[in-house]
Amino acid sequence: MKPIVFGLLTALGLATTALAQDATLAPPALHAEAVPAVLQKAVDDFIRPGYRHFRNEASLLEKDMHAFCAAPTEAGLQTARDAFGKTVASWSTIEIVRVGPIIENNRFERILFYPDRKSTGLKQVQAMLAKPDESATSVATLKDKSVAMQGLGALEFVLYGTGSEKLSTEKGGFRCRYGAAIAGNLVRLGDELVTEWDRPGGIQDAWKHPGPENPVFRDGREAITELLGILVHGSETIRDQRIENFYKGEENNTFPKQAIYWRSGKTWASIEGNIEGLRTLLKVSGMVELVNEDTRSIVSSIDFVAKSLSRVAGTIDPDVENAVTDPAERAKLDFLLLNSKDLILRLNNDYGGAIGLAAGFSFSDGD
C-alpha cells in the first residue's frame, strides 16, 4: 500500500503547485449572480434528499427490527445488522450538515451521541440492559430519556455489544424491543427533519432567498459562507473527531475502542460516507460557479484530495484494532491525517479566498 499512498502524496503536491499558479491569475470575487442557483441546488439536491434517504433507511431498519424481535433467527439478526449498516451509511452522508433543524432540540445528539469520551452513553445503555425499563421499548417514552440512549451508538451496542449473541434466541426479548424502539426513534427524528426542510416559508426558503428581511441570512454572502462552513466543519470533524479521537499518528497513542462504530466494523464506511457527502454537496450545488473561471481548478483540486481520502478510507481494515497496529494500515491512517488537513486548508483558505472572504478568515476561529 505504501507505494500507492506516496504516489498519491506526489500527485497532491503537483496539484498544489498548479493551484498556487492558478490562484494568481485573477482577483478573488464572489459571482453573486450564481448564488441563488447554488443555494437552491444545495437545499433541493443534497440536504432535503439526504434527510429523506436517512428517514427511509431508518424506516426499513425499524421494520426489520420488529420482524426479528417477533421471530428471532441468526438470519434475522444479520438482516437487522445489514439494515443498521445502511442506516449508518445514509446518516454519514448527510451528517456533515450541522446547521438548521438538526441542531435544534438536540436532534443531532439524539441520532448520534459521539464522541462519548467518558463512556456516559455506553454506561447508560449497559445499565438499561442490566436492569430493563419497559419505558425504553416505546418511542413515545424513549424520546424523553437521555439523548445517549436514543440513537445509532446505542443501537450498535444492542446489535453488536456484549450479550448481543443472545438476541437470536430470545423471542420478544427486552434488548431487541429496545433496539426496535431506537430504530423507531430514528424514524421520528428523520420525519421531523424532512418536515422542517420541506415546510413552505421555513428553513429552505431562508436558504434560497437571503435578503434584508430574512431572519437567517441578510445577503447571499452570508448564505454562501454558511454553505462553505458546512464543508469546512465537516472536514474538521473527519480529522479531529473521527480519526484523531483514536489515532494521532504516534506509536503508543492509539485508542481503537474510541473509534466510531468500532463494534460493528463500520468506522471506515462512516468516514467514507462523510467524505462522499462533502464531495456530493460541493458538486451538486455547483459551487464552482461562484468563482472566477481562471481559479476553478481550486474546486477540482479539492475534489481530487477528497476522492483520494475516500478511496484510501475504503481500503482500511474494518477491525480498528488491527488497523492501528499493522504498519501497512497505519500508513493509510497517516495518509488520512495528512491529507484531511490539506482538505481543510483548501476549503477554508483557497476556496474561501477565491470567493472573496477576507484574508485571515477562519471558520475554526469563528470569524
Side-chain angles (χ1 to χ4, degrees):
M1 177 61 198
K2 284 188 177 181
I4 296 175
V5 170
F6 293 134
L8 284 170
L9 289 172
T10 301
L12 291 174
L14 293 174
T16 301
T17 300
L19 175 61
Q21 293 172 346
D22 285 347
T24 65
L25 297 179
L30 174 65
H31 289 197
E33 73 282 356
V35 168
V38 169
L39 295 173
Q40 179 172 345
K41 286 184 285 188
V43 171
D44 291 343
D45 297 343
F46 181 78
I47 297 176
R48 294 172 67 197
Y51 284 129
R52 284 197 296 272
H53 183 47
F54 166 66
R55 188 269 314 274
N56 293 344
E57 290 295 343
S59 296
L60 294 173
L61 171 62
E62 181 186 27
K63 180 180 177 181
D64 287 339
M65 285 296 300
H66 281 296
F68 171 58
C69 294
T73 62
E74 284 296 326
L77 176 57
Q78 188 57 53
T79 297
R81 285 175 170 175
D82 289 344
F84 171 80
K86 291 178 180 178
T87 303
V88 166
S90 65
W91 167 250
S92 297
T93 301
I94 193 62
E95 178 188 346
I96 64 170
V97 178
R98 298 199 184 192
V99 296
I102 189 64
I103 62 173
E104 297 169 358
N105 302 317
N106 297 116
R107 288 190 180 102
F108 189 97
E109 291 77 15
R110 292 175 193 277
I111 294 173
L112 179 63
F113 185 78
Y114 182 86
D116 185 9
R117 293 187 175 88
K118 296 183 178 180
S119 298
T120 302
L122 173 62
K123 292 173 183 177
Q124 291 175 347
V125 172
Q126 289 174 324
M128 176 65 68
L129 295 174
K131 190 176 181 180
D133 176 356
E134 285 296 321
S135 65
T137 63
S138 168
V139 175
T141 44
L142 177 62
K143 67 182 180 64
D144 295 323
K145 295 187 180 299
S146 165
V147 297
M149 300 172 61
Q150 300 182 23
L152 291 167
L155 184 53
E156 183 192 32
F157 189 85
V158 167
L159 290 172
Y160 292 91
T162 304
S164 60
E165 66 278 359
K166 297 179 181 179
L167 280 170
S168 58
T169 65
E170 296 179 349
K171 182 178 181 179
F174 172 81
R175 184 178 187 129
C176 193
R177 290 183 291 116
Y178 170 43
I182 296 173
N185 191 55
L186 294 173
V187 176
R188 177 186 70 84
L189 291 163
D191 275 334
E192 289 182 359
L193 291 166
V194 170
T195 298
E196 285 298 314
W197 277 99
D198 285 354
R199 182 164 53 87
I203 186 66
Q204 66 161 300
D205 284 348
W207 270 78
K208 294 176 183 177
H209 306 292
E213 304 303 318
N214 188 321
V216 181
F217 302 119
R218 292 171 295 179
D219 55 41
R221 181 171 294 277
E222 285 191 357
I224 291 300
T225 300
E226 184 85 300
L227 180 60
L228 178 57
I230 291 175
L231 299 175
V232 173
H233 290 308
S235 301
E236 290 174 334
T237 296
I238 291 168
R239 177 181 169 83
D240 300 343
Q241 290 188 8
R242 296 298 182 265
I243 303 174
E244 284 198 328
N245 194 47
F246 72 92
Y247 179 81
K248 298 182 185 296
E250 301 167 14
E251 190 67 32
N252 298 314
N253 196 14
T254 61
F255 308 92
K257 291 187 178 180
Q258 290 184 13
I260 193 169
Y261 306 123
W262 69 269
R263 291 182 177 84
S264 59
K266 304 297 182 187
T267 301
W268 305 111
S270 171
I271 290 174
E272 190 176 358
N274 294 158
I275 299 167
E276 287 302 312
L278 296 174
R279 293 185 66 211
T280 302
L281 176 55
L282 182 66
K283 181 179 180 179
V284 303
S285 64
M287 290 178 70
V288 68
E289 301 297 329
L290 298 176
V291 299
N292 291 335
E293 290 187 11
D294 290 338
T295 56
R296 288 183 178 179
S297 61
I298 289 171
V299 177
S300 59
S301 69
I302 289 170
D303 184 68
F304 180 86
V305 175
K307 185 177 181 179
S308 300
L309 288 167
S310 180
R311 180 155 62 91
V312 172
T315 69
I316 300 177
D317 191 336
D319 187 327
V320 182
E321 292 188 84
N322 288 340
V324 300
T325 55
D326 181 87
E329 298 301 296
R330 286 177 65 96
K332 300 176 190 178
L333 295 177
D334 291 337
F335 174 86
L336 294 186
L337 283 180
L338 176 64
N339 290 285
S340 58
K341 182 176 182 179
D342 184 36
L343 179 63
I344 295 167
L345 293 175
R346 288 173 186 266
L347 286 164
N348 191 80
N349 298 348
D350 297 339
Y351 186 89
I355 62 173
L357 294 181
F361 179 92
S362 173
F363 288 95
S364 300
D365 295 336
D367 293 337

